[in-house]
Amino acid sequence: MSKVIKKIGVLTSGGDSPGMNAAIRSVVRTCAFHNIECIGIYRGYQGMIEGDFKEMGPRSVNNIVNKGGTILKSARSKEFMTVEGRIKAHQNLVQAGIDALVVIGGDGSFTGAEVFNNEFGYPVMGIPGTIDNDIFGTSHTLGFDTALNTVVECIDKIRDTASSHNRLFLVEVMGRDAGHIALNAGIGAGAEEILIPEQDLGLDRLLESLRKSKASGKSSSIVVIAEGDKIGKSVFELKDYIEDNLPEYDIRVSVLGHMQRGGAPSCYDRVLASRLGVKAVESILEGKSNFMVGIINDKVALTPLENAIKGHSEIDKELLRVSDIMST
């Protein structure tokens, strides 16, 4: 990339996550620090197609570091999946004088950025924003830490009720393809069993675990389930199965849903967003493109977008072992 960068666009795409606003703030203020103009692109790739741009300066991102969601809004764009849509988006960027793009989102957003880069040679840099923590090339994605804290707080409250009524609670958390939230929050909240997509425990083992819990004197139990776990077709069918086989259990289901996405970002997510935003802008100014900025061994690092998209974030096997020991 040899062109001189004078103006950088920033957008958020896909599902929102706590820390996105902190990342927007970091990108805007890093641009200002380097005397580069920054343009906010509203509603993700759809906003690119419609030319929904607004100039942003240091004062336009006041008091957002502590806000959940995204001030730039987010939207999924079917039109951007077409060549015609991407051509229109590129024309709008060129007409607005925007020289490079910072995309804050998940693997779907990065796929769009990579295709855009390949088709037009347009400089792009990705910042991972998704609570699922399922992107290769970073130990933490924006929003993951906050989501964990939210889930643990909810389970703590559920346990109070479970203990008061001698009940078994099945708590479903987000994680369609990855069990990072379930595993970490389950350990943090002291769950008796944790079900994740990466590890098929099977119904027999689950029943045996619950029998042991009952026999050991536990009067209540919490089972944390990632929404993508394959042990049952749904958490409600799993409830019915357990009731049929262990009628001594009084079972309740709690699906935490989208409350996991919201709320003020944790300090960790705010600091992470600030670090990644600085690195994204400065990497573009150094002539780099088609990378994702992430955190590896607590150091900010670059991973090619292709690797971030196609790679798989591995579940921590040590945590699996810790979970087994803690459920004793």
Side-chain angles (χ1 to χ4, degrees):
M1 189 173 70
S2 58
K3 65 186 292 187
V4 176
I5 303 297
K6 297 181 179 179
K7 190 181 293 188
I8 292 176
V10 59
L11 63 83
T12 51
S13 176
D16 65 290
S17 63
M20 279 186 164
N21 279 329
I24 294 167
R25 174 180 179 267
S26 179
V27 169
V28 171
R29 291 194 171 176
T30 305
C31 285
F33 180 83
H34 290 285
N35 296 313
I36 301 294
E37 289 184 67
C38 188
I39 303 296
I41 300 171
Y42 285 81
R43 296 177 294 112
Y45 291 125
Q46 191 61 37
M48 275 175 58
I49 292 172
E50 297 175 10
D52 195 358
F53 305 155
K54 183 179 179 181
E55 186 173 347
M56 303 183 78
R59 303 288 74 80
S60 67
V61 290
N62 279 352
N63 304 319
I64 69 168
V65 70
N66 60 323
K67 300 286 195 276
T70 163
I71 62 168
L72 291 178
K73 309 297 182 183
S74 184
R76 303 187 190 278
S77 176
K78 290 185 178 179
E79 191 176 355
F80 192 78
M81 297 178 184
T82 68
V83 174
E84 294 76 15
R86 293 192 294 272
I87 289 174
K88 190 173 181 180
H90 181 253
Q91 290 172 341
N92 286 335
L93 293 177
V94 172
Q95 186 175 352
I98 300 172
D99 303 307
L101 196 61
V102 175
V103 175
I104 306 169
D107 55 1
S109 304
F110 292 165
T111 299
E114 186 187 31
V115 170
F116 197 70
N117 173 266
N118 291 339
E119 288 180 344
F120 304 103
Y122 197 86
V124 296
M125 195 67 58
I127 295 177
T130 169
I131 66 168
D132 288 341
N133 205 46
D134 59 349
I135 295 180
F136 179 81
T138 186
S139 62
H140 286 73
T141 57
L142 295 183
F144 175 57
D145 184 71
T146 304
L148 286 183
N149 293 334
T150 299
V151 171
V152 167
E153 183 179 355
C154 289
I155 296 175
D156 286 347
K157 296 178 188 300
I158 288 170
R159 186 175 290 281
D160 291 342
T161 294
S163 299
S164 298
H165 296 276
N166 295 338
R167 284 174 177 161
L168 165 62
F169 266 87
L170 306 181
V171 183
E172 184 184 270
V173 302
M174 283 186 168
R176 184 182 59 198
D177 301 310
H180 298 289
I181 292 177
L183 180 58
N184 284 268
I187 293 173
E192 278 66 39
E193 197 64 77
I194 302 168
L195 307 180
I196 58 176
E198 295 89 343
Q199 188 183 48
D200 186 4
L201 294 180
L203 290 168
D204 291 340
R205 176 176 163 177
L206 174 61
L207 293 179
E208 183 60 27
S209 174
L210 292 173
R211 287 192 186 99
K212 285 182 179 179
S213 292
K214 200 77 168 178
S216 70
K218 290 184 179 179
S219 60
S220 63
S221 292
I222 301 286
V223 177
V224 177
I225 306 166
E227 62 182 327
D229 180 70
K230 306 301 190 296
I231 198 168
K233 291 182 179 179
S234 76
V235 67
F236 296 100
E237 288 191 9
L238 181 59
K239 170 185 177 290
D240 293 340
Y241 181 84
I242 296 172
E243 285 180 333
D244 290 341
N245 288 272
L246 299 175
E248 64 269 26
Y249 270 108
D250 183 14
I251 306 175
R252 296 292 185 273
V253 172
S254 183
V255 178
L256 299 189
H258 282 79
M259 74 170 69
Q260 296 162 85
R261 285 194 187 279
S266 65
C267 179
Y268 183 90
D269 275 328
R270 299 182 199 192
V271 174
L272 178 61
S274 301
R275 295 174 71 186
L276 298 186
V278 169
K279 183 67 172 179
V281 171
E282 292 186 343
S283 295
I284 288 174
L285 297 180
E286 291 167 1
K288 297 182 176 69
S289 174
N290 219 26
F291 286 96
M292 180 196 78
V293 292
I295 194 85
I296 301 175
N297 297 324
D298 202 34
K299 301 292 183 184
V300 181
L302 297 180
T303 298
L305 276 181
E306 181 180 9
N307 294 351
I309 296 164
K310 294 181 179 179
H312 296 284
S313 61
E314 298 292 332
I315 205 75
D316 191 328
K317 290 182 173 55
E318 180 192 0
L319 285 183
L320 288 173
R321 182 169 176 272
V322 168
S323 171
D324 286 340
I325 293 172
M326 290 301 101
S327 64
T328 302

